[in-house]
Amino acid sequence: MTEGLRARARLAMRTEIAETAFALFVRRGFEQTTVDEIAEAAGLSRRSFFRYFPSKEDAVFGLLYDLGEELAAAVTARPAEETPWTALHAACAVLLGPMLHRSDEAMALLRLIHDTPTLRARHQDKQDSWRKLLVDALHGRSVPALEADVLASAALAVFDVVCRQWLADPAADPAALMAEAFAVLRPSREA
Amino acid sequence: MTEGLRARARLAMRTEIAETAFALFVRRGFEQTTVDEIAEAAGLSRRSFFRYFPSKEDAVFGLLYDLGEELAAAVTARPAEETPWTALHAACAVLLGPMLHRSDEAMALLRLIHDTPTLRARHQDKQDSWRKLLVDALHGRSVPALEADVLASAALAVFDVVCRQWLADPAADPAALMAEAFAVLRPSREA
DNA sequence: ACACAGGTGGCACCGAGTGTCATACTCGAG
DNA sequence: CTCGAGTATGACACTCGGTGCCACCTGTGT
């Protein structure tokens, strides 16, 4: 039973290090912040930093990868009679909640990712892992393979569009943007 | 007028280096191939390699970035009365031509990108640059901003889906896959 | 023959990431 | 309490991608 304890302690370390790193990234930029600086600020050795995060980028994305499972779960939780596209819309809308709740941090994170090339790239790799989970969730709703892939990819693309638009105009309402964006692509056979 | 000559010579060097590097990547993998090995195989110094390509990854993608402009041009070239989604489909279909023409190389490239994490990430960054060009092209067809962003992102996502499916089943016809994939998301207001 | 330009290689350096080892801590068994 | 096993940590050395700097060469125009 000490397994759970260690796992929780490890998670706490990860979040603490990630928050320390994030503060530095926001202040000085991602590329300009060295791992040594993060390690010193977090009170551990450079070597130990890499025991908690496989790379510097993971200090930014590590905690976000888990959201993919929440997203997929949200899709699965939608009523079965709902069309896939509507279910995807509802699931993405769920993710908007935490973002609006701590919108300053969310905005800072989006901005950081947006204007750091390596983070932009990594972001898309994370989307790729989300996509796989979404495709599985859609298979659970008996959506054919190709269609599931297209719908999942498109939904994530829409999510990105909404984030970009929100970043460009913080006054906009993300939920409204998302409804509008999802409406553009609603498949013809749906209501 | 020697400007043009130098530019052409530089391009020839780039393609030659890129081809040498590509061969090594396919044989030994991207991560396992060092820049020193590429430089030696291409007959220049490590330092000079980085004068032709800003990074090792660019030896893979450098030549592909230009395709974005072709893609955008293909959209602009479509008849004005065509709906944006149909125009995007037609433009993406154009890109399929060269891929089928040298399908072995295309397949090897797709496979290389697909199972190299850093290349997967970079690939998406390239898509991002393509997206910007597509959005501009759609603006030229007087498509509103949000809609243009959504349609361009979705079209590129669809293109990716097709590439993935083709990679998974080389016997499939990419053009047919693409038609099917584009049909999934055809906006309701279109024919 | 001269100066000047651009391409090139060599060298030193930085930062990310990894393997290895020696140490310190913790915790359960005796 | 003590011993030993398992684990976290730090220090060190090393590889590799990427950059700045400088010295060299080569061609071109005067």
Side-chain angles (χ1 to χ4, degrees):
Chain A
M1 240 333 130
T2 60
E3 286 302 322
L5 265 174
R6 274 206 296 267
R8 245 177 297 153
R10 181 177 171 82
L11 180 61
M13 279 290 266
R14 277 175 61 93
T15 57
E16 189 183 327
I17 298 171
E19 281 166 7
T20 309
F22 182 64
L24 289 175
F25 292 157
V26 170
R27 200 176 333 149
R28 302 211 279 266
F30 179 79
E31 310 279 4
Q32 281 66 42
T33 308
T34 71
V35 173
D36 295 79
E37 290 168 341
I38 301 171
E40 191 186 347
L44 38 62
S45 74
R46 158 195 178 71
R47 192 63 186 88
S48 285
F49 171 87
F50 284 111
R51 289 197 177 96
Y52 287 97
F53 295 100
S55 77
K56 193 169 77 159
E57 295 153 18
D58 284 282
V60 177
F61 287 108
L63 310 153
L64 265 63
Y65 271 84
D66 306 341
L67 287 181
E69 297 169 24
E70 287 188 36
L71 186 61
V75 169
T76 312
R78 300 300 303 178
E81 65 272 18
E82 223 170 43
T83 65
W85 192 242
T86 308
L88 285 167
H89 179 184
C92 287
V94 167
L95 277 199
L96 236 43
M99 286 180 57
L100 289 174
H101 186 246
R102 301 201 301 177
S103 62
D104 286 350
E105 266 174 295
M107 191 69 88
L109 179 60
L110 287 178
R111 198 184 316 280
L112 181 66
I113 293 172
H114 182 266
D115 44 47
T116 307
T118 69
L119 290 184
R120 276 203 314 263
R122 247 325 251 283
H123 165 69
Q124 300 291 349
D125 194 62
K126 180 210 62 188
Q127 298 285 66
D128 216 55
S129 81
W130 288 17
R131 178 184 53 77
K132 294 194 185 85
L133 295 170
L134 279 183
V135 167
D136 288 344
L138 289 178
H139 280 164
R141 302 173 75 89
S142 54
V143 177
L146 179 71
E147 194 177 335
D149 206 341
V150 171
L151 291 175
S153 304
L156 290 172
V158 163
F159 193 85
D160 264 6
V161 170
V162 170
C163 288
R164 273 199 304 274
Q165 297 282 335
W166 187 41
L167 196 56
D169 173 20
D173 173 24
L177 280 176
M178 182 169 284
E180 200 181 337
F182 265 94
V184 172
L185 286 173
R186 177 171 297 118
S188 39
R189 64 183 72 172
E190 296 195 5
Chain B
M1 241 331 129
T2 60
E3 286 302 323
L5 265 174
R6 273 207 296 268
R8 246 177 296 155
R10 181 178 172 81
L11 181 61
M13 279 289 266
R14 278 175 60 94
T15 58
E16 189 183 327
I17 298 170
E19 281 165 7
T20 308
F22 183 65
L24 290 175
F25 292 157
V26 170
R27 200 178 331 152
R28 303 211 278 266
F30 179 80
E31 310 278 4
Q32 281 65 41
T33 308
T34 71
V35 173
D36 295 78
E37 291 168 340
I38 301 170
E40 191 186 347
L44 37 62
S45 75
R46 158 195 177 72
R47 192 63 188 87
S48 284
F49 171 89
F50 284 111
R51 289 197 176 96
Y52 287 97
F53 295 100
S55 77
K56 192 168 79 160
E57 295 155 18
D58 283 282
V60 178
F61 288 109
L63 310 153
L64 265 63
Y65 271 84
D66 306 342
L67 287 181
E69 297 169 24
E70 288 187 35
L71 186 61
V75 169
T76 313
R78 300 300 303 178
E81 65 272 18
E82 222 169 45
T83 64
W85 192 242
T86 308
L88 285 167
H89 179 183
C92 287
V94 167
L95 278 198
L96 237 42
M99 287 179 56
L100 289 174
H101 187 246
R102 302 200 301 178
S103 62
D104 287 349
E105 265 175 295
M107 191 70 88
L109 179 59
L110 287 178
R111 197 184 317 280
L112 182 66
I113 293 172
H114 181 266
D115 44 45
T116 307
T118 69
L119 291 184
R120 276 204 313 264
R122 244 330 249 284
H123 165 70
Q124 300 291 349
D125 194 64
K126 181 209 59 185
Q127 298 285 66
D128 216 56
S129 81
W130 288 17
R131 179 184 52 77
K132 293 194 185 85
L133 295 170
L134 279 184
V135 167
D136 288 344
L138 289 178
H139 280 164
R141 301 173 76 89
S142 52
V143 177
L146 180 71
E147 195 177 334
D149 206 341
V150 171
L151 290 175
S153 303
L156 289 171
V158 163
F159 192 85
D160 264 6
V161 170
V162 170
C163 288
R164 273 199 304 273
Q165 298 282 336
W166 186 42
L167 196 55
D169 173 20
D173 173 24
L177 280 176
M178 181 169 284
E180 200 181 337
F182 266 94
V184 172
L185 285 173
R186 176 172 298 120
S188 40
R189 64 183 71 173
E190 297 196 4

